[in-house]
Amino acid sequence: MTMSINGGMEVKKVFIGAGCNRVVNNVSWGACDLVAFGAQNAVAIFSPETAQILTTLPGHKASVNCTQWLPSNKFAFKAKELERHYLLSGDADGAIILWEFSLLERKWKYVLHAPQSHKKGVTCITGIMVTKTEAIVASTSSDCKVHVWEVLFPSTTGGDCKLQCLETLFVGSKPMVALSLAELPGNTGHIVLAMGGLDNKIHLYCGERTGKFLRACELKGHTDWIRSLDFSLPICPNGEPNSILLVSSSQDKGIRIWKMTLRSSLCSTQGAYRKEEMSLASYIEGPVLVAGSSSYQISLESLLIGHEDWVYSVEWQPPSTESVEGTGYYQPQSILSASMDKTMMIWQPEKNSGIWMNVVTVGELSHCALGFYGGHWSPSGDSILAHGYGGSFHLWKNVGVDLDNWQPQKVPSGHFAGVTDIVWARSGEYILSVSHDQTTRIYASWQNEASLRDGDPWHEIARPQVHGHDINCVTIIQGKGNHHFVSGADEKVARVFEATLSFLKTLNHATSQNISLPEDLQADVQVLGANMSALGLSQKPIYVQATHDTPDRNGNDGLDTLETIPDAVPAVLTEPPIEDQLAWHTLWPESHKLYGHGNELFSLCCNHEGKLVASSCKAQSATAAEIWLWQVGSWKAVGQLQSHSLTVTQMEFSHDDSMLLAVSRDRQFSVFTIKRTGTGEISYQLLARQEAHKRIIWSCAWNPYGHEFATGSRDKTVKIWAVDKGSSVKLLMTLPQFNSSVTALSWLGLGHQKNDGFLAVGMESGLIELWSLSVKRADDGSGSAAGVDAAVAVKLDPFMCHASAVNRLAWKGPKKSENCNIQLASCGADNCVRVFEVNVDYVEN
């Protein structure tokens, strides 16, 4: 996705990193071979082929609970000629949105909101394609209602979609959480709707395409909540479809397969049928389902026991086309199940006896994982995808020729809660992000031949911190030597981390030796990796020389206690890691703790020289709102700056490190002068403090080549200020009011000799704008600013932006001042980390 404006500026999406919402039914794999999932209140679309998130769809006001492709993977054999595919998404407020995807243009379009929305969160959406231009859809919600919809797609380009509610079913006091639809075999024109939920029963409703669904019967057997239901396509033993299968899974850890057979075929008196009935797979007869003039005998085909925890999803393998023309189809007898026991299983009937057996088991062995919320087949049936408790995806592909050989594949990854802060590495080779999901993650462009061939090669390459508190802020230490960062979480301690030798070598692989690793640095770094402590707060180093002998560090004589955590095995990665490696083997050791603040850490920044770190915490008093200065290296507190009375929300050092700017919830900004005395001590003084806005000031940014700065506030304004002759601060201009609160700012300069630059503005709505700024200098030779010219350079397309508040913006500046591509990183409350490439065709006047 790209966009440009007159004046030679183009903005292109480079990378999106996001985790999946931790709810059942959140993921859907479409016939177009794209996967949709909810990332907070955005709907994210990713390509399993490239392991990249392609785009996010903004529109939901609440967290997205479920998605459903039309056509889904089940109808891929019917969808080969379709030019447009559709997607339904439901959120925690009860809203359902229909989206359109054009295969030829690879573009997305918002179509409509469902007219009769649910009153509470939507928990499941299911749909079947009846014809190429018609689908029947059902949705269920915590409001104890099930809506049945008819969706009419346009037969010509540019036509309108129509969504009509055919029926609303009241299901009593216990809501339904699982749904499945199917056309009944035998050309009856009837549709069966299966629903299951909190009453442990499967309820079957029958109706025609025009609506009016009647309760037909119920199936009993499960002893806990029903979590998933899926109908197969009709099975044709003799060329005529006469039965369909329904698979159900439950929190009772069991899976049941139910068979619905047209009764005319049951009346057969052939001996072969009687013989089959007496076999080991004999039916346990259940109720009869009546649909118009036809009736169907329901029987329990099989009970599958194998999982050791709740089974959250079951899904039939998608049918494959039988002929070259694609007219017929074959429904494989194969079921995929996913469970909270951290495994997915494929079940198939044994050829001779017909007994259903577990033929494939794949899983996540990391102790960090807490099980799977769902499993899905690819349309071709050669890949299976799971999403887990940690917001992560897990993909296996059958690469075997004669025998099954399921191997893990690369998938997109990211935070599964709001991303609070983001920062570029010193040389811009990676970005570091922190989140309320209690992790710190590193993303980098993996530049090898294979990844360049696959498209944009950004991946998560390390997870240096996995913590026990929500992380609010981070800063990378500038200067020479090993990579260090400081993070602050919902605790009173800031923590310092240093890069491991395995990470430095991995980074070398990722950047294709563009940034060579100095031999002296390799010799200095004696830490190979890090181990997690039992409580998940501190990370202990694994030293290079200690890897040869690994004593039992638990020392509990084999007793199984909370302390028994497996040792990490740090390794140099030669290709982007999968979740199992990221979650456990890429940690950095914690080298120092910074004690001093009385409340939870809120903001951090480091000066450009890499000698000072400033920190602030949540505050409701002047004492708590102090800014602490820390000496890098010794990590001693060397200053406590007092100015504000409420939380300092952001801080930044000026380009020459002579000043520190701070903005606060008390609507004021402060500018401190920072000096280093001859003895090396730090002296500081409050230069200016001013009430700058009518509401909270969320963000600030210095001009990288001057003493001008910008402040952004909840009052929807951005103001440009200048430090006048080093003694006072004056207002240069106020940008026109924005449509939403300004939550993030970042200023990019275009070279020492130029007074021009770009100001990136991020808003609470998720939108991002780029403004061109040109500072006018005074004629008296002092170099002080006399004014500033500002104009909108580009407003990013909402489909490129965040779906909720932008929390931080950070430019990766150009190495040289000529025309070049500049990268902008952003993070937001929609769980997303984004990287944009801004192509600036800059001509100096």
Side-chain angles (χ1 to χ4, degrees):
M1 183 182 285
T2 64
M3 58 189 303
S4 61
I5 61 160
N6 297 333
M9 186 177 198
E10 185 184 61
V11 180
K12 183 173 68 172
K13 184 231 28 139
V14 173
F15 170 71
I16 302 172
C20 181
N21 289 341
R22 299 194 287 184
V23 283
V24 186
N25 303 320
N26 190 243
V27 175
S28 178
W29 199 329
C32 56
D33 208 18
L34 296 180
V35 175
F37 67 95
Q40 220 278 322
N41 62 330
V43 179
I45 310 296
F46 87 79
S47 164
E49 189 181 349
T50 61
Q52 296 288 313
I53 296 177
L54 305 178
T55 189
T56 55
L57 312 178
H60 285 284
K61 299 285 189 289
S63 181
V64 176
N65 281 348
C66 46
T67 58
Q68 174 68 34
W69 280 96
L70 296 173
S72 65
N73 52 0
K74 187 185 290 187
F75 294 94
F77 71 96
K78 282 185 176 181
K80 292 180 178 169
E81 297 171 11
L82 292 180
E83 293 178 6
R84 292 180 297 280
H85 288 234
Y86 295 85
L87 178 70
L88 286 160
S89 55
D91 68 27
D93 280 350
I96 297 173
I97 298 180
L98 179 65
W99 311 87
E100 179 185 287
F101 175 59
S102 166
L103 277 180
L104 296 175
E105 299 174 354
R106 310 298 289 179
K107 281 188 178 175
W108 283 90
K109 186 176 89 174
Y110 162 84
V111 180
L112 54 81
H113 266 76
Q116 287 173 267
S117 61
H118 290 280
K119 299 291 185 288
K120 291 183 180 177
V122 183
T123 51
C124 182
I125 300 175
T126 188
I128 54 168
M129 299 294 291
V130 181
T131 66
K132 286 187 177 178
T133 57
E134 183 186 0
I136 301 294
V137 173
S139 62
T140 183
S141 159
S142 309
D143 62 7
C144 299
K145 289 181 188 174
V146 174
H147 291 319
V148 182
W149 313 82
E150 179 186 48
V151 189
L152 298 175
F153 305 121
S155 52
T156 57
T157 307
D160 291 334
C161 277
K162 291 178 182 172
L163 183 67
Q164 177 188 353
C165 186
L166 298 178
E167 179 78 292
T168 298
L169 303 170
F170 297 90
V171 296
S173 60
K174 294 187 175 179
M176 298 291 125
V177 294
L179 299 173
S180 187
L181 282 162
E183 288 186 274
L184 285 169
N187 297 319
T188 62
H190 282 76
I191 289 174
V192 60
L193 167 64
M195 59 178 80
L198 280 58
D199 64 357
N200 311 348
K201 300 173 191 170
I202 300 167
H203 303 271
L204 297 178
Y205 286 74
C206 199
E208 298 180 18
R209 287 189 203 172
T210 52
K212 203 58 192 165
F213 278 71
L214 299 174
R215 188 183 184 121
C217 58
E218 59 186 38
L219 307 178
K220 299 176 183 175
H222 285 295
T223 56
D224 208 335
W225 292 7
I226 312 289
R227 294 313 304 230
S228 183
L229 296 166
D230 191 34
F231 277 112
S232 70
L233 260 62
I235 294 159
C236 314
N238 306 314
E240 284 293 319
N242 73 344
S243 62
I244 56 173
L245 296 171
L246 170 67
V247 60
S248 61
S249 72
S250 163
Q251 289 180 187
D252 63 11
K253 308 174 190 175
I255 300 166
R256 289 172 179 256
I257 303 172
W258 313 82
K259 188 168 190 176
M260 299 172 59
T261 310
L262 194 61
R263 289 211 47 188
S264 57
S265 63
L266 274 175
C267 297
S268 168
T269 56
Q270 295 175 9
Y273 175 76
R274 289 286 164 210
K275 188 178 176 185
E276 181 190 340
E277 211 174 24
M278 298 302 292
S279 71
L280 196 58
S282 61
Y283 304 125
I284 302 170
E285 289 200 354
V288 174
L289 180 140
V290 178
S293 57
S294 303
S295 59
Y296 299 82
Q297 177 67 56
I298 302 175
S299 51
L300 180 65
E301 171 87 353
S302 188
L303 172 61
L304 313 183
I305 302 293
H307 285 294
E308 297 173 0
D309 209 333
W310 297 356
V311 185
Y312 265 141
S313 88
V314 279
E315 189 175 286
W316 287 98
Q317 182 175 335
S320 55
T321 48
E322 279 187 325
S323 60
V324 180
E325 296 82 19
T327 49
Y329 67 88
Y330 165 67
Q331 170 68 64
Q333 297 292 284
S334 182
I335 291 169
L336 175 69
S337 62
S339 165
M340 283 301 274
D341 66 5
K342 308 180 190 178
T343 64
M344 280 204 301
M345 293 182 180
I346 296 175
W347 306 81
Q348 292 171 357
E350 205 261 325
K351 285 183 180 175
N352 297 323
S353 66
I355 296 175
W356 285 77
M357 309 283 286
N358 165 25
V359 294
V360 175
T361 301
V362 294
E364 175 63 37
L365 300 177
S366 163
H367 86 287
C368 308
L370 287 172
F372 294 143
Y373 278 130
H376 304 273
W377 290 97
S378 66
S380 58
D382 65 351
S383 298
I384 51 177
L385 175 77
H387 66 106
Y389 179 83
S392 54
F393 286 107
H394 310 263
L395 179 67
W396 288 269
K397 186 170 186 176
N398 188 3
V399 296
V401 181
D402 297 322
L403 297 169
D404 280 358
N405 180 14
W406 294 87
Q407 292 297 320
Q409 305 293 310
K410 291 195 293 283
V411 282
S413 64
H415 295 285
F416 57 89
V419 189
T420 47
D421 205 352
I422 196 168
V423 62
W424 285 94
R426 296 171 305 196
S427 305
E429 58 273 56
Y430 61 84
I431 51 178
L432 184 80
S433 63
V434 296
S435 162
H436 284 161
D437 71 1
Q438 307 186 348
T439 65
T440 300
R441 303 182 190 228
I442 289 177
Y443 302 93
S445 171
W446 198 284
Q447 297 167 349
N448 59 30
E449 289 178 16
S451 60
L452 286 171
R453 187 178 64 244
D454 292 340
D456 295 337
W458 278 75
H459 296 278
E460 183 181 350
I461 65 164
R463 205 168 293 170
Q465 185 184 8
V466 178
H467 202 40
H469 294 289
D470 295 2
I471 309 175
N472 299 322
C473 50
V474 70
T475 187
I476 282 183
I477 307 303
Q478 305 300 315
K480 296 178 181 177
N482 194 9
H483 301 251
H484 289 81
F485 73 85
V486 185
S487 70
D490 275 346
E491 54 179 346
K492 302 173 186 179
V493 185
R495 298 173 187 266
V496 186
F497 296 84
E498 64 174 305
T500 61
L501 189 59
S502 58
F503 171 78
L504 296 172
K505 291 181 176 178
T506 297
L507 189 63
N508 232 23
H509 279 289
T511 52
S512 297
Q513 282 74 40
N514 290 345
I515 303 170
S516 60
L517 193 60
E519 290 297 325
D520 59 336
L521 182 55
Q522 287 196 49
D524 287 345
V525 179
Q526 293 298 308
V527 177
L528 187 65
N531 273 317
M532 174 66 71
S533 71
L535 294 176
L537 293 176
S538 292
Q539 291 164 198
K540 308 298 183 190
I542 302 171
Y543 292 100
V544 174
Q545 65 271 20
T547 53
H548 302 295
D549 55 344
T550 52
D552 178 17
R553 66 190 179 97
N554 297 318
N556 55 9
D557 299 322
L559 294 174
D560 187 17
T561 71
L562 283 173
E563 294 289 331
T564 56
I565 291 180
D567 282 309
V569 185
V572 179
L573 304 170
T574 55
E575 60 179 23
I578 58 172
E579 178 68 20
D580 219 5
Q581 296 164 307
L582 285 168
W584 193 236
H585 304 305
T586 59
L587 294 169
W588 291 14
E590 184 183 302
S591 59
H592 293 86
K593 293 182 179 71
L594 309 183
Y595 294 96
H597 287 289
N599 293 323
E600 299 92 337
L601 270 290
F602 196 85
S603 177
L604 284 163
C605 74
C606 179
N607 70 355
H608 299 84
E609 194 185 7
K611 299 287 180 66
L612 279 181
V613 168
S615 63
S616 73
C617 72
K618 295 178 183 178
Q620 291 186 320
S621 67
T623 309
E626 288 178 339
I627 298 167
W628 284 58
L629 295 179
W630 309 87
Q631 183 108 35
V632 174
S634 68
W635 295 111
K636 292 179 180 175
V638 292
Q640 290 165 251
L641 284 58
Q642 292 187 338
S643 176
H644 295 284
S645 56
L646 293 174
T647 306
V648 172
T649 53
Q650 195 182 352
M651 302 169 290
E652 194 172 300
F653 285 93
S654 61
H655 69 95
D656 56 4
D657 290 338
S658 65
M659 285 180 260
L660 174 66
L661 168 66
V663 293
S664 167
R665 283 179 173 271
D666 63 13
R667 309 174 186 180
Q668 298 180 331
F669 70 74
S670 299
V671 179
F672 298 89
T673 56
I674 309 286
K675 292 178 183 173
R676 193 179 291 274
T677 63
T679 58
E681 292 183 358
I682 301 296
S683 70
Y684 48 87
Q685 187 175 351
L686 179 63
L687 175 74
R689 181 177 65 216
Q690 190 168 328
E691 182 161 329
H693 291 270
K694 295 174 184 173
R695 304 290 297 276
I696 292 170
I697 307 176
W698 281 125
S699 189
C700 62
W702 280 102
N703 177 358
Y705 297 116
H707 284 161
E708 297 79 39
F709 62 88
T711 56
S713 164
R714 185 182 274 174
D715 65 10
K716 304 180 183 179
T717 62
V718 171
K719 296 184 179 183
I720 314 293
W721 310 80
V723 179
D724 194 22
K725 298 176 183 176
S727 58
S728 62
V729 174
K730 67 178 180 182
L731 176 65
L732 293 181
M733 79 170 301
T734 302
L735 298 187
Q737 191 165 29
F738 293 86
N739 294 325
S740 179
S741 301
V742 176
T743 51
L745 294 172
S746 186
W747 194 325
L748 172 78
L750 291 176
H752 280 285
Q753 305 305 316
K754 305 167 185 174
N755 296 318
D756 296 351
F758 288 105
L759 184 68
V761 181
M763 288 169 265
E764 195 172 33
S765 60
L767 299 181
I768 298 171
E769 295 184 10
L770 303 184
W771 285 68
S772 61
L773 298 181
S774 181
V775 179
K776 293 179 285 191
R777 300 292 171 195
D779 298 331
D780 57 7
S782 64
S784 60
V788 62
D789 292 329
V792 179
V794 65
K795 293 183 179 181
L796 272 64
D797 186 312
F799 280 81
M800 291 175 75
C801 297
H802 293 271
S804 49
V806 182
N807 285 333
R808 191 74 79 232
L809 292 165
W811 287 102
K812 173 189 169 185
K815 296 269 191 316
K816 300 173 184 174
S817 57
E818 66 258 19
N819 301 349
C820 55
N821 294 338
I822 306 155
Q823 288 187 324
L824 172 69
S826 70
C827 66
D830 60 356
N831 306 2
C832 290
V833 170
R834 297 168 191 264
V835 179
F836 305 96
E837 194 165 274
V838 182
N839 190 308
V840 183
D841 186 11
Y842 184 84
V843 180
E844 188 173 7
N845 296 322

